[in-house]
Amino acid sequence: VQLQASGGGLVQAGDSLRLSCTASGLMFSSYSMGWFRQTPGKEYELVAGITWSGGDPYYAESVKGRFTISRDNAKNTVYLQMNSLKPEDTAVYYCAAGQYAGTWRRTDYWGRGTQVTVSS
């Protein structure tokens, strides 16, 4: 199983980025997908999650109204559109496949992270 994330980079505050994560080796449409982020010294934070069908997305309070998670099951890909980026969004972002039903219950697979750096 591979989850290949891409789209990170260095941007200025207020800019936008779109992260993509393409999965292989698993039945993508059977999994909920999530985006987590981690900054040095902090635990992983679930930023956004989406069910297998694309419904009922979850967003952390800190990103509500700015980030949008979506998925394309035909392309085995999950996206995270990040708008109005802030310096505090700076982190390594990871995609994950697991189980989400109101809350994120379990991570079955992790992808490699992609760095997002937002300068002020």
Side-chain angles (χ1 to χ4, degrees), residues 12-72:
Q12 292 187 332
D15 286 350
S16 298
L17 279 175
R18 188 175 83 155
L19 304 183
S20 300
C21 174
T22 300
S24 59
L26 79 168
M27 191 170 292
F28 181 77
S29 60
S30 296
Y31 288 88
S32 301
M33 298 298 295
W35 286 97
F36 291 75
R37 66 187 180 188
Q38 187 184 35
T39 54
K42 293 189 178 181
E43 295 184 356
Y44 287 92
E45 174 191 18
L46 176 62
V47 174
I50 193 167
T51 62
W52 66 271
S53 64
D56 192 27
Y58 163 86
Y59 297 99
E61 282 296 325
S62 58
V63 307
K64 277 184 180 178
R66 301 188 297 120
F67 290 12
T68 303
I69 188 171
S70 61
R71 66 188 295 161
D72 185 339

Side-chain angles (χ1 to χ4, degrees), residues 46-120:
L46 176 62
V47 174
I50 193 167
T51 62
W52 66 271
S53 64
D56 192 27
Y58 163 86
Y59 297 99
E61 282 296 325
S62 58
V63 307
K64 277 184 180 178
R66 301 188 297 120
F67 290 12
T68 303
I69 188 171
S70 61
R71 66 188 295 161
D72 185 339
N73 287 343
K75 295 182 178 180
N76 285 7
T77 301
V78 61
Y79 305 97
L80 185 67
Q81 178 66 43
M82 305 186 295
N83 298 330
S84 302
L85 282 161
K86 304 176 180 180
E88 51 263 44
D89 294 318
T90 296
V92 179
Y93 284 72
Y94 299 86
C95 65
Q99 299 301 321
Y100 163 66
T103 59
W104 189 265
R105 297 176 183 271
R106 186 181 78 235
T107 299
D108 295 310
Y109 303 103
W110 287 100
R112 297 181 67 178
T114 185
Q115 176 72 46
V116 172
T117 303
V118 184
S119 63
S120 57

